[in-house]
Amino acid sequence: MRLNGRFGRFGGAFVPEILMPAIEQLEAAFLDSEEDPAFRAELDELLANYAGRPTPLTRCRNLPGRIYLKREDLLHGGAHKTNQVLGQALLARRMGKTRLIAETGAGQHGVATAIVGALFGFDTVIYMGAKDVERQSLNVFRMQLMGATVVPVTGGAQGLKDAINEALRDWSASFATTHYLLGTAAGPHPFPLMVRQFQRIIGKEARAQILEREGRLPDTVMACVGGGSNAIGLFADFVVDEAVTLVGVEAAGKGLDGGDHGATLLRGRPGILHGAETYVLQDEDGQISDSWSVSAGLDYPAVGPEHAHLKDSGRARYVGATDAEALSAFRLLAEKEGILCAFESAHALAHALKRARDNPDEMILVGLSGRGDKDVAQAQALLGRPA
Amino acid sequence: MSRYAAMFDRLAARGEGAFGAFLMLGDPDLDTSLGLLGAVIAAGADMIEVGIPFSDPVADGPVIQAAAQRSLAAGVRTADCFALIAKVRERNPHIPIGILTYANLVVARSRERFFDEAAAAGADSLLIADLPAFEAEPWAEAMRGAGLGPVLIAASNTPADTLVRIARLSQGYTYCVSRAGITGTHAEARFDPALVAALKAAGAPPPVFGFGISTPDHVRAALAAGAAGVICGSAIVDCAAGGGDVAALVRDLKQATGNDSAS
Ligand SMILES: Cc1ncc(COP(=O)(O)O)c(C=O)c1O
């Protein structure tokens, strides 16, 4: 391994020895690709002409305050996930792998992986908790339409965490031919670093766009945090701008004081899960707790290690938004701006709206990580017919 | 002399390999588990390997996952596991006992406390399934400080420089995996003599094969590859879960560790 994979005291590579050669191969391929102009050129071409970058920066016209939205919802595939699956797919091809495996919660990352599987002709297998398979049958069908095989995972709580477990198990037998296309900036080194590098295009564009429009940097940059990929991608180019406040919004679920939330940084303790030392929701013995969020993408009991470091170093702040707050932000954005966003993204917006009410002059940049199509049926069930 | 060294010496003098039996502590409950441990020892296991159950065992196949789930569902906690080990130790002063678990259970207690409690319970070694040699240095040092032997995993695809590191950090025995993948009895085991030779050349503690050992032929093949012993896990756990004759299985497999056991 060329790097130690650490972000302060967090990160590392805590995987069975059998997987270390696969991780080393991936690290080497990734670091080499960063020095390879041809790789970058192909990725840039795909991001522009296949995925639709750059994405717009939209100033909200009717919401209170000065809120700008970075519109990853307009990316092909409907979320920021596409940025990094393109990068990892090119790496998989570079390593000569013929098969992709991935985990998915609601199906967003599974759909993104199916997209690159189809585009590059990989044999693609998506692990998905059996409960999620049932709840997200449309996304399952989308993946299948693009040629992926969806494998329901019946172990544990049958959610995202269990799908990651199963993907890691598959990979430890199949790494010779298979790339594990992990969906967020979590997991063992080099995933957190690599996924951040592929996602930092979000913040790079947004920083340039807001400088051009406003002639200055925003006061606050906000994004939702599940595993942490859209947030780290948005934050990365602002970390050096000390005057810019970085805020990650976790799922407070039914409330931070009960057990039904996904607020790992707010309520977890440092531990080791899925290959990284990071904050983890767990009991006293270290058994992993089940998380909860109305948005499947934030329903994960660990978090990317760089966020753990940004929290402990104080460079970023982390807060929670409840299911109810996210739903009302979702609805307000639809009513006032004509944008249906993902439930995940609605968590970031919910916190932005709180800030904007108190500080109407604050310039807030919100990462709108995905569009809400996948959540419309659930919204209908939860909100009923709008008045 | 450590219990592992004494055992390997004693068996070598008889021309036998070591037979290690794995069981999940607390599966399906603490009393049954204590009985099973007694049974595999009475049936001839030379060393035992005991799992402390973790909710998310990524290195384990369905059989051992299910065992961990049964134990956790019975309310078994880490402290209960140490107490169970202490009981086994009280009845069996000489048998080497190794713990197998996952890193998060260790850090949740703090490394020092976990290692001290394990050693105080009478365990000889600790294998952390998600702790590769790349991360193991400070852990292994703390284990040795607590009087616990660090056991690391080596595989056929482990690079030479990592094997040297594993040899340097390990105590007691070296856990060799017989194939890629997770624990379980289905995939084909491959006992790589080159791996055993490389470990021996690097001065590693005696290599013992695990993962997918379920028949006397597997045992013979592993020893023929130069290993000092084998560890059988899923086959025993599966047999116990199905109400099978665990003692008979262990006797059968132990039988195959003798040098006059040619089939
Ligand atoms: C639209 C959207 N936003 C956010 C997330 C959360 O993931 P991350 O924290 O990695 O950005 C997801 C995950 O599925 C998602 O689909």
Side-chain angles (χ1 to χ4, degrees), chain B residues 5-259:
Chain B
M7 173 202 65
F8 285 121
D9 280 1
R10 177 170 49 82
L11 293 173
R14 300 207 302 250
E16 280 175 32
F19 180 75
F22 170 88
L23 284 164
M24 182 63 69
L25 293 171
D27 171 29
D29 57 63
L30 290 167
D31 287 346
T32 312
S33 181
L34 182 62
L36 284 167
L37 287 160
V40 299
I41 294 170
D46 300 302
M47 54 190 267
I48 57 170
E49 190 74 22
V50 292
I52 297 184
F54 178 49
S55 54
D56 294 82
V58 295
D60 287 305
V63 169
I64 293 178
Q65 285 175 48
Q69 278 308 311
R70 285 191 296 270
S71 177
L72 292 172
V76 171
R77 304 198 41 187
T78 305
D80 300 318
C81 293
F82 289 139
L84 195 53
I85 292 170
K87 280 187 193 166
V88 175
R89 171 55 72 217
E90 207 176 281
R91 298 170 191 189
N92 305 277
H94 303 300
I95 195 166
I97 302 177
I99 296 175
L100 200 159
T101 195
Y102 287 84
N104 199 52
L105 297 190
V106 177
V107 295
R109 261 183 148 62
S110 91
R111 278 201 304 234
E112 288 64 30
R113 183 177 154 208
F114 190 100
F115 298 163
D116 284 345
E117 290 183 4
D124 298 288
S125 68
L126 174 61
L127 194 174
I128 300 172
D130 52 351
L131 182 72
F134 175 67
E135 297 284 358
E137 188 100 39
W139 300 63
E141 203 168 297
M143 275 185 229
R144 284 194 300 264
L148 212 52
V151 172
L152 299 180
I153 288 192
S156 291
N157 68 341
T158 306
D161 55 337
T162 306
L163 290 180
V164 169
R165 191 183 176 86
I166 289 169
R168 180 168 56 79
L169 295 176
S170 304
Q171 267 178 11
Y173 71 99
T174 310
Y175 196 117
C176 299
V177 296
S178 53
R179 54 167 170 72
I182 52 179
T183 60
T185 48
H186 297 302
E188 210 34 58
R190 238 187 84 245
F191 306 101
D192 182 2
L195 173 61
V196 173
L199 283 168
K200 286 184 175 168
V208 170
F209 272 109
F211 277 36
I213 300 218
S214 59
T215 67
D217 280 345
H218 290 147
V219 175
R220 282 186 283 267
L223 298 179
V230 295
I231 293 175
C232 172
S234 297
I236 294 177
V237 171
D238 202 26
C239 176
D245 189 343
V246 172
L249 175 62
V250 169
R251 272 194 302 272
D252 247 24
L253 295 171
K254 172 58 198 169
Q255 183 91 47
T257 65
N259 58 7

Side-chain angles (χ1 to χ4, degrees), chain A residues 246-282:
Chain A
L246 304 176
V247 182
V249 186
E250 296 195 298
K254 295 172 186 166
L256 285 177
D257 296 330
D260 294 326
H261 58 72
T264 309
L265 289 161
L266 293 169
R267 287 291 182 270
R269 295 200 318 276
I272 294 175
L273 184 65
H274 294 148
E277 199 160 355
T278 184
Y279 279 77
V280 179
L281 293 174
Q282 54 185 313

Side-chain angles (χ1 to χ4, degrees), chain A residues 79-81 108 184 224-230 297-298 342 344-345 369-370 374:
Chain A
H80 68 291
K81 306 277 176 191
Q108 213 50 30
T184 186
C224 65
V225 178
S229 67
N230 90 88
L298 305 185
E344 290 80 7
S345 323
S369 54
K374 69 182 175 59

